[in-house]
Amino acid sequence: MIYLKIEDNRGFFLKDKNSPEDWTELDKIEKDDLMKLLDYATEEEFDMDEYNEETLGNKAHQIIYKNLYEKFHNFLSNKNRFKDETDNIFKEELEKYQ
Amino acid sequence: MKKIDFHIHTVKSISDRPFEFSLESLKEYVEKLSLDCIAITNHNLFDREQFEEINRELEIKVFPGIEIDLEGGHILLISENENLRDFEDKCNRVKGLIPSKDDSIDYDQLIEIFPALNNYLLIPHYDKKPNIKPLTLDKLGENIFSGEVTSLRKFKTCIKEEDKLTPVIFSDCRMVEGIENFPTRQTYLDVEESSLNAIKGCLYDKTKVFLSENDGNDFFQATDDGIMLSTALNVIIGGRSSGKTYTLDKICENFENVKYIRQFSLLQNDKENFKKLVTTRHSLITENYLKDFKDVVMEVNEIDLKSNEIELEKYLKTLKKFALENDNLDTFSKCSLYNETQFETDNLENIKKLISSTKTLLENTEYKSIIDKHVTEDGLKNLIVELIIKHNELYTNNLKKSWVNGVIDQIKDGLRFRSTTTAIEPVDFQKIQREKLKVRKFETLVDNLKIEKIIDSKDIRGFKVLAKTKKYTGASQLKAKSRRQLAFSEAYNNYDKPYKYLISLQNVGIEETEFYKYFVDIDYRTLNKHGFEVSGGERSEFNLLHEINDAIKHDLLLIDEPESSFDNIFLKGEVNELIKEISKEIPVIVVTHSSTIGGSINPNHIVYTQKLVDSGKVEYQVFFGHPTSKVLKSVDGVEIKNFDILLNCLEAGEEAYIQRKTRSYDILKD
């Protein structure tokens, strides 16, 4: 599922995966949205439109999009290791105190 | 038969507490305990002049000796009473090598000083601290055939077990002025003459070493006034104020590691106190159960979600601001490195684990055939090589990334210092997300922990102790747990939100290492044989059984009038049985008036104490003997009828006994 997209020279993000039609402009993004996006990136198939200055004309959006894109790209490229690592958090303890 | 004590201190050394030697006390000790031979063994020194004085003043054989700190343990080295100057020279060399109480000499130094070890008698601390290490014993080889132990139980064990040294028990006493109770820790040897060689010959043979003069190893001297007791079960009887408790106290003073159950000490009328007692006794169960949870709490306590949120907020705010200022960037902020992010280095833990696991598979010989069935050795070798190459590649990359990160940081700092444009604050998505997930798992863990369940169940002679997890139901319980005047009400408001609760515990004033105790309580319930919570009387009974059971960790068990707190049925059933069991392991001495105990327990030995008042002068007398003997005897040979004593002490006299039996009980019979 796509969570970051470029359209009409502006960047958008998906606030809620249950409302896939409801896109919000990137300059409106708040910390809670970012938290939620991080959850999606951890738990879901997380896709983004590639950063492209030609299709993303808005200068401010360019900066925000590029920055977020790079950060999520970095996060996703280590997703397997991150998942292995977090799956093991308190695993034995959870079994012990079940 | 010779009675010996080869471990006596007469000079204060660096290893001793201060004391002033009294020759008079030593003389009295030798006389009162009827000793035949003694050895003077001070820590790492030999005082020849003092020894010669002792030797002149005592009429028994005195051996010169020294207690040496050898490779971290203690050993007695005893010489024949001759060539004292030579022995003094040698001991002075030992003294010179041990300047402080933490020093010791090694085996080679010992051999250098005492080249002919076989001329001496060597007795290491064997089952006694600080004991000579097994490795040192090996080095000493055939020079060692006897070892010092501390208790009757250890003595008997050494006698029974073939591969153990011949045991000896000595007083290890400091002879000071005004000793009220002299120690009774000595050993009897079946030897004719009092020469060192004869004694050594005797110590080679376990069958010639005893705890008592006439009764082998089944009896021992319990007090310096000659009371002999069985190493199994003893019962002390006597009228009120006849010196029973006094005798018990005296025995207690004379031995180490004694379990003494005093009269009335086990009554448990208070339910809460009893609960506390049981909880303390089982604190190890609580600790073990919560051990892993404690580590989790410590780990989560380091997480600050609030600050993560602020970090994210700052990042977004500066990112947006920088984006808006885009048209007015200066020379510095236009540089790409102005807002460059850092490389994240790879965590190599997993690949290291894989390499180590493959290595285990490759090196294992025990299960090689099974491993070979499923994976070829070549395959494993190729795997480990590839993993190592990958590891090295990642490791090199990490080094490069760290280097680049350093450069980026430096340049960024330089650019930002000169620029007026907003700089985007750094943020670590991985860390933020990892910590968020950690907190979520922690909350699940705490929820699981709070579900009531039995975590331990122990059966103790008809009673059952159940350990159960239980949620705290109010701030007062938390306060009670802390045993301090702290306010928990604010924290307790968050009790159902584990992470928030943990954060609020930070403001209560308890140690971080104690936080884990406040999430769930472990409740101990003691149930009787019908599965109900114990009553007041049962609580005391449970206590007594627990204490007697616990005695097995001690060297001697003393019980003073158990009937004062317990009923006959309980005493006859559970208690007598348990006491008999324990007395197979350690000497047990029970003071009683009760026929239920005195009469039914079948002791191995009986002691009768009596107070005589003659013209205002009070005298205590003690008689002892086998329970089936017609007479009991005192130390000085006075005899008394056993039958009369038993009826008087346990049944309120013969007349009362017959009356009870014929007029009361027989009439009531069907």
Side-chain angles (χ1 to χ4, degrees):
Chain A
M1 193 172 206
I2 289 188
Y3 287 89
L4 285 181
K5 73 167 184 180
I6 298 169
E7 208 174 276
D8 300 335
N9 283 312
R10 287 175 301 159
F12 293 89
F13 73 97
L14 199 60
K15 238 180 171 24
D16 184 350
K17 69 170 184 173
N18 298 319
S19 316
E21 303 305 318
D22 195 3
W23 289 90
T24 311
E25 278 191 59
L26 262 190
D27 55 346
K28 303 281 183 302
I29 192 167
E30 297 295 337
K31 72 169 191 304
D32 293 335
D33 303 319
L34 203 47
M35 285 281 218
K36 212 164 182 181
L37 285 174
L38 267 175
D39 281 344
Y40 292 147
T42 315
E43 292 152 15
E44 315 283 335
E45 276 296 313
F46 190 94
D47 294 320
M48 306 175 285
D49 278 353
E50 211 157 311
Y51 174 68
N52 186 342
E53 284 182 9
E54 284 170 20
T55 51
L56 183 58
N58 185 315
K59 286 283 174 195
H61 280 218
Q62 263 180 18
I63 288 169
I64 300 173
Y65 195 97
K66 183 168 183 264
N67 209 294
L68 285 175
Y69 178 84
E70 277 172 3
K71 287 225 168 292
F72 275 108
H73 184 74
N74 201 348
F75 185 81
L76 293 167
S77 61
N78 290 314
K79 191 168 171 175
N80 283 345
R81 196 175 62 218
F82 184 79
K83 209 170 157 12
D84 283 351
E85 201 185 310
T86 51
D87 279 352
N88 281 323
I89 292 176
F90 306 145
K91 196 176 172 192
E92 283 168 23
E93 290 83 353
L94 275 161
E95 277 164 18
K96 176 175 173 180
Y97 299 113
Q98 204 126 49
Chain B
M1 197 73 87
K2 303 279 182 207
K3 189 178 189 183
I4 66 165
D5 179 7
F6 278 7
H7 196 163
I8 295 174
H9 292 271
T10 57
V11 180
K12 181 201 162 304
S13 72
I14 40 162
S15 309
D16 276 300
R17 56 184 184 275
F19 76 90
E20 198 73 47
F21 170 62
S22 159
L23 184 58
E24 286 313 307
S25 285
L26 180 61
K27 275 181 173 174
E28 198 186 337
Y29 169 59
V30 166
E31 199 176 322
K32 201 164 186 184
L33 274 298
S34 310
L35 283 157
D36 297 300
C37 302
I38 60 165
I40 305 299
T41 50
N42 290 301
H43 284 293
N44 308 308
L45 65 87
F46 173 64
D47 181 339
R48 184 176 52 80
E49 278 176 31
Q50 189 205 51
F51 176 81
E52 281 169 343
E53 190 193 354
I54 293 170
N55 196 30
R56 268 195 312 273
E57 293 287 327
L58 294 182
E59 285 166 12
I60 58 161
K61 178 80 181 257
V62 186
F63 290 98
I66 180 169
E67 182 174 13
I68 303 173
D69 279 272
L70 176 67
E71 302 190 344
H74 285 185
I75 190 165
L76 302 173
L77 184 144
I78 295 151
S79 166
E80 184 50 273
N81 192 344
E82 55 193 25
N83 299 329
L84 291 182
R85 283 192 185 276
D86 174 61
F87 188 65
E88 181 186 29
D89 288 344
K90 288 181 161 69
C91 292
N92 280 344
R93 288 177 65 191
V94 174
K95 189 180 174 186
L97 290 169
I98 304 180
S100 84
K101 68 178 171 57
D102 301 318
D103 291 309
S104 63
I105 57 168
D106 61 26
Y107 172 75
D108 293 332
Q109 288 169 312
L110 179 79
I111 288 293
E112 209 190 317
I113 300 169
F114 298 96
L117 269 187
N118 57 344
N119 286 342
Y120 304 93
L121 166 60
L122 293 170
I123 302 177
H125 274 210
Y126 188 44
D127 206 340
K128 174 174 178 165
K129 284 178 185 165
N131 61 305
I132 292 285
K133 312 268 176 302
L135 211 67
T136 314
L137 285 183
D138 286 348
K139 284 189 265 186
L140 289 162
E142 288 185 352
N143 291 302
I144 301 292
F145 38 84
S146 168
E148 193 178 353
V149 298
T150 49
S151 70
L152 306 165
R153 168 159 50 173
K154 287 170 183 169
F155 183 95
K156 290 183 88 166
T157 307
C158 287
I159 290 283
K160 271 185 224 151
E161 289 178 21
E162 230 172 80
D163 57 339
K164 300 263 186 197
L165 297 177
T166 304
V168 284
I169 292 187
F170 297 140
S171 71
D172 194 357
C173 179
R174 274 121 192 98
M175 283 300 150
V176 294
E177 211 177 319
I179 297 178
E180 277 182 28
N181 296 313
F182 285 106
T184 57
R185 298 182 299 276
Q186 299 89 22
T187 306
Y188 287 89
L189 304 182
D190 187 4
V191 63
E192 280 291 313
E193 54 173 279
S194 300
S195 71
L196 193 71
N197 275 341
I199 288 170
K200 278 170 76 175
C202 181
L203 287 171
Y204 268 115
D205 185 353
K206 279 186 187 179
T207 61
K208 291 183 172 171
V209 178
F210 304 102
L211 289 173
S212 69
E213 188 172 10
N214 303 316
D215 302 298
N217 290 322
D218 292 332
F219 285 84
F220 67 102
Q221 186 169 344
T223 61
D224 58 2
D225 43 20
I227 299 181
M228 296 299 292
L229 291 180
S230 159
T231 51
L233 179 55
N234 304 273
V235 162
I236 302 183
I237 53 175
R240 292 270 170 227
S241 311
S242 62
K244 297 189 299 299
T245 305
Y246 169 79
T247 307
L248 221 47
D249 287 345
K250 199 166 171 162
I251 295 167
C252 180
E253 236 174 77
N254 205 6
F255 292 88
E256 283 171 16
N257 195 22
V258 177
K259 180 87 182 177
Y260 190 173
I261 304 174
R262 290 171 199 273
Q263 200 178 352
F264 304 120
S265 64
L266 301 172
L267 282 178
Q268 276 298 336
N269 298 324
D270 187 322
K271 198 175 171 181
E272 279 312 304
N273 276 344
F274 177 72
K275 215 174 180 85
K276 269 186 206 160
L277 190 73
V278 177
T279 307
T280 315
R281 272 183 202 151
H282 294 86
S283 58
L284 209 58
I285 294 171
T286 308
E287 224 160 87
N288 277 340
Y289 182 70
L290 293 177
K291 196 172 64 184
D292 296 324
F293 180 64
K294 181 183 180 182
D295 295 340
V296 170
V297 173
M298 292 296 284
E299 205 175 320
V300 176
N301 192 44
E302 296 294 314
I303 298 175
D304 187 348
L305 288 189
K306 190 86 197 153
S307 107
N308 284 354
E309 228 174 86
I310 291 169
E311 191 183 306
L312 211 55
E313 198 168 10
K314 272 188 185 164
Y315 161 71
L316 268 184
K317 206 169 151 192
T318 49
L319 174 63
K320 285 186 204 168
K321 199 162 176 226
F322 179 78
L324 288 173
E325 289 168 358
N326 184 41
D327 293 337
N328 305 315
L329 295 184
D330 53 31
T331 337
F332 307 106
S333 50
K334 268 183 188 157
C335 297
S336 302
L337 284 181
Y338 187 77
N339 278 321
E340 190 54 272
T341 51
Q342 290 219 324
F343 282 117
E344 279 184 31
T345 50
D346 288 314
N347 184 336
L348 303 183
E349 281 314 304
N350 276 346
I351 194 157
K352 277 185 189 163
K353 271 189 211 161
L354 277 173
I355 292 170
S356 157
S357 308
T358 316
K359 203 170 159 218
T360 311
L361 284 170
L362 264 170
E363 286 173 358
N364 188 289
T365 46
E366 194 179 355
Y367 302 106
K368 194 171 178 357
S369 57
I370 300 178
I371 297 168
D372 285 349
K373 259 201 303 195
H374 302 278
V375 208
T376 64
E377 196 173 327
D378 281 346
L380 285 172
K381 279 181 182 162
N382 291 338
L383 173 63
I384 201 164
V385 168
E386 201 173 333
L387 286 170
I388 291 171
I389 292 171
K390 185 69 189 170
H391 170 271
N392 292 349
E393 182 191 317
L394 291 170
Y395 181 72
T396 318
N397 266 338
N398 275 353
L399 288 179
K400 285 182 194 162
K401 283 176 184 172
S402 300
W403 185 83
V404 173
N405 284 343
V407 174
I408 293 173
D409 266 356
Q410 226 174 353
I411 297 174
K412 246 169 40 176
D413 282 351
L415 292 171
R416 287 177 179 190
F417 185 72
R418 288 172 179 83
S419 170
T420 50
T421 319
T422 307
I424 302 170
E425 290 284 336
V427 70
D428 184 344
F429 277 8
Q430 296 230 17
K431 173 183 163 274
I432 288 174
Q433 191 63 1
R434 190 187 306 115
E435 294 193 340
K436 188 161 81 180
L437 293 177
K438 204 175 250 187
V439 168
R440 274 188 206 161
K441 291 221 178 179
F442 167 71
E443 302 209 312
T444 313
L445 187 65
V446 175
D447 289 343
N448 285 350
L449 195 67
K450 283 179 181 169
I451 298 168
E452 279 198 9
K453 53 187 159 289
I454 292 166
I455 59 162
D456 194 71
S457 166
K458 267 198 178 63
D459 287 306
I460 304 171
R461 301 208 152 246
F463 291 93
K464 194 183 246 279
V465 180
L466 288 182
K468 204 173 175 185
T469 53
K470 207 174 157 189
K471 275 172 82 165
Y472 288 106
T473 51
S476 57
Q477 284 184 352
L478 299 173
K479 190 174 156 188
K481 183 87 196 166
S482 76
R483 293 183 188 168
R484 286 160 64 188
Q485 287 302 320
L486 298 169
F488 278 93
S489 43
E490 213 166 297
Y492 185 74
N493 289 339
N494 298 320
Y495 186 62
D496 290 332
K497 297 165 204 129
Y499 177 72
K500 218 173 162 189
Y501 175 63
L502 173 64
I503 300 301
S504 47
L505 283 178
Q506 293 170 354
N507 301 321
V508 172
I510 37 175
E511 295 285 320
E512 288 180 0
T513 48
E514 303 287 295
F515 285 172
Y516 75 101
K517 292 181 180 170
Y518 297 87
F519 286 82
V520 69
D521 197 15
I522 311 284
D523 185 47
Y524 290 90
R525 288 177 68 209
T526 311
L527 309 177
N528 62 20
K529 60 183 170 193
H530 306 295
F532 296 115
E533 194 95 22
V534 285
S535 66
E538 284 170 333
R539 283 199 290 272
S540 305
E541 289 176 5
F542 174 75
N543 253 348
L544 178 65
L545 293 175
H546 177 273
E547 289 294 304
I548 298 177
N549 239 345
D550 188 53
I552 203 72
K553 296 181 212 141
H554 296 72
D555 293 325
L556 197 64
L557 169 62
L558 312 178
I559 312 175
D560 194 3
E561 292 192 32
E563 69 271 16
S564 55
S565 314
F566 303 98
D567 64 34
N568 282 337
I569 298 282
F570 170 67
L571 293 174
K572 182 162 184 340
E574 298 293 340
V575 175
N576 278 2
E577 192 186 310
L578 188 52
I579 288 175
K580 287 291 273 186
E581 245 171 64
I582 299 280
S583 71
K584 286 177 194 157
E585 303 295 327
I586 57 170
V588 178
I589 302 145
V590 189
V591 163
T592 187
H593 289 289
S594 157
S595 56
T596 308
I597 294 182
S600 328
I601 204 167
N602 295 327
N604 304 77
H605 196 61
I606 197 155
V607 179
Y608 170 65
T609 58
Q610 166 176 278
K611 184 167 82 171
L612 297 174
V613 184
D614 188 14
S615 334
K617 234 179 102 183
V618 179
E619 201 193 327
Y620 293 98
Q621 275 189 313
V622 182
F623 302 83
F624 42 85
H626 193 270
T628 55
S629 298
K630 292 267 180 215
V631 291
L632 301 180
K633 282 183 190 170
S634 72
V635 178
D636 40 17
V638 180
E639 294 188 354
I640 193 165
K641 272 192 179 170
N642 195 358
F643 179 76
D644 294 346
I645 289 164
L646 287 179
L647 281 182
N648 285 340
C649 294
L650 306 177
E651 308 287 354
E654 189 175 2
E655 200 183 318
Y657 171 69
I658 293 167
Q659 196 176 350
R660 246 194 339 268
K661 191 173 177 307
T662 53
R663 295 197 202 154
S664 308
Y665 299 138
D666 287 352
I667 289 169
L668 293 174
K669 267 192 199 164
D670 286 336

